Amino acid sequence: MVPDSYRGVSSELDVEKIRADFPILREKIYGKPLVYLDSAATTQKPQVVIDAISHYYSRDNSNIHRGVYLLSQRATDGYEGARIKVQRFINAAELREIIFVRSATEAINLVAQTYGREHVQAGDEVIVSAMEHHSNIVPWQILCQEKGATLRVIPMNDEGELLLDEYGKLLNSRTRLLAVVHVANAIGTINPIQEIIQQAHQHDVPVLVDGAQSAAHLEVDVQALDCDFYAFSGHKLYGPTGVGILYGKANLLESMPPYQGGGEMISSVTFEKTTYNVLPHKFEAGTPNIVGSIGLGAAVDYVSEIGLKNIAAYEKELLLYATQQLSAISGLRLIGTAQEKASILSFVIEGIHAHDVGTILDQQGIAVRTGHHCAQPAMDRFQVPATARVSLAFYNTKGEIDALVKGIQRVIEVFS
Ligand code: 7TS
């Protein structure tokens, strides 16, 4: 658990105290302090998460659900306890609506291959947006190709905001599903997701929200949003890799066929006929990532203790500061300047390839991501092959943004 001293802290987070919770932030890179600005790719892990993983393997390790012995009971309690934590974290109405999967990617593929395959037929349409991560494009493309359906795309403006009027025109009686990102990983836009969902529901179109970049940065209430599916990854929420969450409304999940067959997802098996287990187990075939779920539970506790409202307020302050500082650098162009943004800043520097920016920053201990960020259509929209991307979390500081600015000035010097 996080110490009581975090309680009651409002938008002024005690960042030094938070940083002390993340052992990796004490690492040196080429002898320089690590400045980690790639939290959209994966967040660093606080000691409580590392301890939960270590505790499980050193004290509780055994397989879950099937054991009559105490150790298996402890492991099962840890795993199922994590499900309860996640349910509360996103305010799902029912525990059985929380499915443990491998990642946001797997959650989306699960919906495409079960709900999608049942409901999408030749001539139907699936809508995505122009700013999606490949994980929320390719599974729908595969489905549409298989079924003879069409993928429609909500366009965006030069700031990186979805054109909602155009979106309205795309919704019609052939639309079977909308799959849209909450916070865009390459350009940082926070979409007006509630409005988007409401509009889809007016046409009886269910909505899958890709929450990979939002769960760690914004308060998410799936009941208030009224989304039909919500997908996210544990490793972008201060938890371990290899675990993610698919939230789905119970009635939809009930009606869907299983995704994978195997142990645990069945109720009974004969060679003639298999009946399936109840939710959520129907979608959790085989031995799951037990320790991953437990680690994610610890991460959810950690984040909840600090409070997402506080986190969002602090990260917004960092975003504003970084936006001011980067905008002042001559030759630097921000890609993605939406009114509503999460703490992600993509940029290009005139005449310098993004990979060179990343490499020279790395030599100064500064970790940023470069490339297309698995969002090639978004890059195409801005007519850039790649950007350098800074993504901030609540353990980052204005001092680190100053170090970044110095680092970028060094990059420009090297190439001038
Ligand atoms: N959706 C969005 C919006 C993402 O940002 C990512 C990963 C995914 C889906 C897939 O998540 P995964 O955990 O299943 O891989 N985004 C990034 C990124 O921006 N840099 O590295 C991974």
Side-chain angles (χ1 to χ4, degrees):
M1 287 297 288
V2 169
D4 275 354
S5 50
Y6 283 117
R7 288 178 202 279
V9 177
S10 69
S11 71
E12 293 292 305
L13 291 189
D14 186 343
V15 180
E16 283 316 312
K17 182 181 273 180
I18 285 169
R19 288 179 68 80
D21 293 335
F22 291 81
I24 206 167
L25 297 180
R26 298 192 278 278
E27 275 297 297
K28 295 269 192 293
I29 302 292
Y30 307 118
K32 305 193 174 89
L34 167 65
V35 177
Y36 186 74
L37 303 177
D38 195 19
S39 292
T42 198
T43 52
Q44 297 302 347
K45 317 305 170 199
Q47 191 64 50
V48 281
V49 169
I50 299 167
D51 287 348
I53 293 167
S54 168
H55 179 96
Y56 170 76
Y57 277 134
S58 36
R59 304 290 300 279
D60 295 338
N61 178 50
S62 56
N63 212 330
I64 55 167
H65 291 144
R66 283 155 261 182
V68 292
Y69 51 89
L70 180 62
L71 207 59
S72 173
Q73 192 55 52
R74 291 215 301 253
T76 306
D77 288 350
Y79 180 77
E80 290 301 334
R83 198 189 307 274
I84 296 170
K85 291 174 187 186
V86 173
Q87 180 200 359
R88 290 191 187 132
F89 185 63
I90 60 170
N91 194 32
E94 297 184 48
L95 191 56
R96 64 192 179 127
E97 296 179 320
I98 305 297
I99 315 288
F100 282 118
V101 290
R102 181 170 62 81
S103 57
T105 300
E106 187 173 59
I108 297 167
N109 277 277
L110 188 161
V111 176
Q113 290 299 314
T114 58
Y115 184 89
R117 275 180 133 176
E118 289 249 305
H119 290 89
V120 176
Q121 307 301 339
D124 289 344
E125 296 178 359
V126 173
I127 303 179
V128 296
S129 88
M131 60 178 79
E132 301 302 320
H133 186 279
H134 297 163
S135 299
N136 202 28
I137 300 174
V138 184
W140 306 113
Q141 236 166 11
I142 292 172
L143 175 70
C144 287
Q145 271 161 15
E146 181 186 315
K147 296 290 189 171
T150 306
L151 195 66
R152 308 294 301 272
V153 182
I154 310 169
M156 59 177 159
N157 64 20
D158 290 343
E159 282 67 48
E161 294 162 331
L162 292 181
L163 299 175
L164 296 183
D165 288 349
E166 298 299 318
Y167 161 54
K169 290 182 209 155
L170 290 177
L171 286 163
N172 65 54
S173 61
R174 293 181 301 278
T175 314
R176 291 291 163 265
L177 189 112
L178 164 68
V180 66
V181 73
H182 194 171
V183 171
N185 72 314
I187 55 174
T189 308
I190 304 175
N191 283 319
I193 202 74
Q194 199 149 8
E195 199 182 323
I196 290 173
I197 292 166
Q198 273 169 12
Q199 229 176 315
H201 284 175
Q202 280 163 14
H203 291 78
D204 291 325
V205 171
V207 181
L208 176 141
V209 178
D210 175 353
Q213 294 297 346
S214 37
H217 305 283
L218 302 173
E219 245 178 352
V220 172
D221 179 333
V222 290
Q223 289 187 76
L225 290 178
D226 198 26
C227 54
D228 299 279
F229 301 102
Y230 199 92
F232 62 96
S233 292
H235 72 99
K236 296 188 199 285
L237 178 56
Y238 308 97
T241 52
V243 66
I245 298 295
L246 171 66
Y247 158 82
K249 283 183 182 165
N251 62 327
L252 289 175
L253 292 174
E254 284 282 9
S255 73
M256 284 153 52
Y259 179 45
Q260 295 180 331
E264 196 58 34
M265 53 75 71
I266 56 89
S267 159
S268 77
V269 178
T270 66
F271 284 114
E272 288 70 39
K273 182 173 169 58
T274 291
T275 55
Y276 303 125
N277 205 341
V278 293
L279 292 175
H281 311 292
K282 182 171 84 174
F283 291 108
E284 294 181 5
T287 300
N289 185 350
I290 304 166
V291 72
S293 300
I294 291 171
L296 175 55
V300 163
D301 277 346
Y302 179 79
V303 167
S304 305
E305 193 76 24
I306 295 169
L308 269 164
K309 276 204 174 74
N310 298 330
I311 291 171
Y314 177 70
E315 289 178 352
K316 185 156 200 168
E317 204 178 300
L318 282 184
L319 171 72
L320 291 177
Y321 184 69
T323 305
Q324 276 168 2
Q325 298 300 309
L326 293 192
S327 307
I329 298 175
S330 119
L332 185 148
R333 177 161 70 99
L334 286 171
I335 303 291
T337 49
Q339 278 291 320
E340 294 296 325
K341 269 190 77 177
S343 49
I344 291 175
L345 299 101
S346 252
F347 61 89
V348 290
I349 303 177
E350 217 178 305
I352 309 176
H353 195 280
H355 290 307
D356 293 328
V357 176
T359 306
I360 295 171
L361 288 176
D362 176 53
Q363 288 161 4
Q364 300 168 75
I366 303 169
V368 303
R369 183 132 307 229
T370 61
H372 54 58
H373 317 293
C374 297
Q376 276 182 331
M379 296 289 108
D380 291 346
R381 169 63 181 78
F382 288 97
Q383 296 180 314
V384 291
T387 69
R389 183 191 66 183
V390 168
S391 53
L392 302 158
F394 63 86
Y395 42 59
N396 290 123
T397 63
K398 288 186 183 168
E400 289 182 311
I401 294 166
D402 294 339
L404 169 72
V405 170
K406 272 204 189 111
I408 294 173
Q409 278 155 355
R410 174 96 194 99
V411 173
I412 294 170
E413 271 165 35
V414 169
F415 281 88
S416 61

